[in-house]
Amino acid sequence: MRLVTFRRNGGAPTIGALCNGDRSIVAFAEAHGLTGAAPSEWFRDMLAFMDGGDAALDAARALIERTVRGKLGPLVDTGTVELMAPVPVPRSIRDCLSFEKHFRQAREGRLRALVAKAEDPVAAEAELRASGRFEIPKAWYDLPLYYKANRFSVVGTGTDLIMPSYSKEMDYELEFGVFLKGPAKSVRADKARDYIYGYTIFNDMSARDIQSIEVPCGMGPAKSKDFDTGNVMGPCLVTADEIPDPYALRMEVYVNGELRGSGNSRDMYHSFEAMIERMSDHETLHTGEFIASGTVGDGSGVEHDIYLEHGDLIEMTVEKIGMLRNRAIRL
C-alpha cells in the first residue's frame, strides 16, 4: 500500500491509501463508516494504524478493494487535498550517514570553502589536509553512526520550507528511510528486515555554515538541523511488501527543474538492517520510529558548493516511492 495522511480545506488530518496511479485516495475512516461498523481506533491517525499491525493492514486492503469497485462511496481526488507528511509526528527520528561518496564529497566541499576564505589558500589547504579533519574516520566504516533529529519539525510535500535567518548556506539532502514496526530489541541484522514497516523520501534540510561550527565541538548537529520545516517526508509511506529490494532504487534531486544530483540506494555502505541491529542493541525500538539513510552521493549542494536561494523549487524522487516537492523560502 501507498499510505498517506491528508486534509481537505484545512480540516482535520485523515489517513488513507493512494490508488489509480496515485490520482485517487481511499479515506479509511470514511470507507469504514460506510460499512456500518463502529468507528475503529486503527483509522484515527497513521501511528494508530501502524500500531494495528497486520490486522489493520488487512482491514485497509478490504476497504480499498470495495471502494475501488464502487461499493463504499466515492474516491477522493488527490489533486483536491493537501498531502501532509505520511506520519506527521514520528515517534523518533534517527538519521544515519551511509553513503561514502556523499561523506567524502561533503568534506571536500567544506575544505574548499575554508580554503577560499584564507589569506594564503595554498598554505591553508596544506594545513587543513595535514590535520586529518577532512578524512573519513575509521569508525565510520566500522559502525552505522547516527544522530537524533527533531520529530516535531516534520512537514510534507508541497509545504514551503522556511530557511532560518541565522544561516547563509542552506542546503537540501536527498535521503530515504524506513518506518519501523516493533517492539524490536537486540535484533540481529539477518532478522531486521522483519521490523521494517515501510519507506518514504526524506529531505534533511541543513544549515551548513552553522553545522561547520557545531560538529567540530562534538555537540552537533543541533541548530544546523533543528528548525521548523527542517525535516521533510513524503509524499507517501510505501509498505515494505511493495519494495522487496530497497537497495536498487534510483534517487534524483532537481532544483528549479535542473538535475542537481542522482545516485542509487545500492551504494549504501551500511544497510538499514545493520542500522537496526546497532540501534536496537540494549534499546527497544518502537513502531512508528523513523530511520533515515543519510544523503546519497551528489544528493546535496555542499558537495559542489551550491546553496539554496529564496524561491528555489526542490524536487526529490526515489524510485517506487514518488516525488517530494517543496519550495525554499526566506522571510
Side-chain angles (χ1 to χ4, degrees):
M1 273 184 282
R2 300 172 60 79
L3 301 168
V4 291
T5 297
F6 66 98
R7 58 185 165 199
R8 286 169 281 196
N9 301 318
T14 304
I15 68 168
L18 295 168
C19 59
N20 291 339
D22 292 353
R23 295 186 300 274
S24 305
I25 302 171
V26 175
F28 292 157
E30 294 174 18
H32 178 75
L34 292 172
T35 68
S40 171
E41 174 68 13
W42 291 340
F43 304 134
R44 176 174 51 84
D45 59 35
M46 196 63 77
L47 285 176
F49 181 73
M50 296 169 74
D51 286 339
D54 289 342
L57 286 167
D58 289 343
R61 288 188 184 99
L63 291 174
I64 293 169
E65 181 181 1
R66 294 182 66 185
T67 303
V68 169
R69 290 166 50 201
K71 303 295 185 181
L72 287 178
L75 294 165
V76 178
D77 182 347
T78 306
T80 66
V81 305
E82 172 195 354
L83 287 181
M84 303 172 66
V87 183
V89 185
R91 290 197 166 112
S92 78
I93 302 173
R94 295 175 176 87
D95 196 358
C96 291
L97 201 171
S98 63
F99 290 93
E100 182 181 12
K101 182 178 181 181
H102 164 74
F103 199 11
R104 190 174 301 282
Q105 291 188 159
R107 291 199 156 208
E108 283 292 316
R110 293 313 300 170
L111 185 148
R112 288 193 302 271
L114 290 172
V115 167
K117 297 173 183 176
E119 292 184 7
D120 185 343
V122 174
E125 181 172 357
E127 181 180 351
L128 288 169
R129 290 196 184 280
S131 72
R133 284 172 49 199
F134 296 90
E135 295 297 320
I136 297 180
K138 180 180 179 299
W140 181 84
Y141 295 98
D142 296 336
L143 297 170
L145 305 175
Y146 62 95
Y147 72 93
K148 293 183 178 179
N150 183 358
R151 69 192 185 100
F152 296 106
S153 63
V154 174
V155 295
T157 191
T159 301
D160 285 345
L161 309 182
I162 309 303
M163 298 186 286
S165 61
Y166 56 72
S167 173
K168 304 304 180 187
E169 296 179 349
M170 285 302 303
D171 200 4
Y172 55 85
E173 296 194 48
L174 169 59
E175 311 186 20
F176 79 121
V178 298
F179 277 97
L180 300 179
K181 53 182 177 181
K185 183 175 181 179
S186 298
V187 175
R188 297 197 318 269
D190 61 352
K191 302 293 184 182
R193 186 73 67 92
D194 294 340
Y195 295 90
I196 295 177
Y197 188 94
Y199 303 87
T200 197
I201 304 173
F202 182 51
N203 178 4
D204 171 29
M205 292 286 287
S206 300
R208 297 300 187 188
D209 43 356
I210 307 304
Q211 188 177 16
S212 67
I213 297 169
E214 293 177 336
V215 173
C217 297
M219 292 295 291
K223 291 307 291 180
S224 57
K225 303 280 189 176
D226 290 346
F227 44 86
D228 288 349
T229 74
N231 294 316
V232 197
M233 298 185 188
C236 58
L237 168 55
V238 182
T239 53
D241 58 303
E242 298 277 341
I243 303 180
D245 183 5
Y247 306 114
L249 305 177
R250 182 166 178 78
M251 305 171 68
E252 297 179 333
V253 56
Y254 296 79
V255 177
N256 300 325
E258 173 192 354
L259 179 64
R260 286 282 182 88
S262 63
N264 196 290
S265 62
R266 71 168 65 94
D267 295 326
M268 290 174 67
Y269 187 87
H270 297 290
S271 68
F272 288 119
E273 291 84 353
M275 297 174 197
I276 291 169
E277 178 177 83
R278 174 67 175 168
M279 294 171 188
S280 71
D281 187 8
H282 287 76
E283 180 180 0
T284 302
L285 306 181
H286 301 275
T287 298
E289 296 194 66
F290 180 73
I291 301 172
S293 65
T295 309
V296 68
D298 294 321
S300 64
V302 69
E303 297 170 65
H304 305 289
D305 304 317
I306 303 173
Y307 297 101
L308 291 168
E309 302 288 345
H310 171 72
D312 281 350
L313 178 65
I314 309 159
E315 295 174 304
M316 296 182 168
T317 65
V318 176
E319 188 178 357
K320 298 185 183 298
I321 300 177
M323 176 179 284
L324 183 62
R325 180 187 288 111
N326 303 86
R327 196 173 294 279
I329 299 294
R330 285 198 184 278
L331 299 181

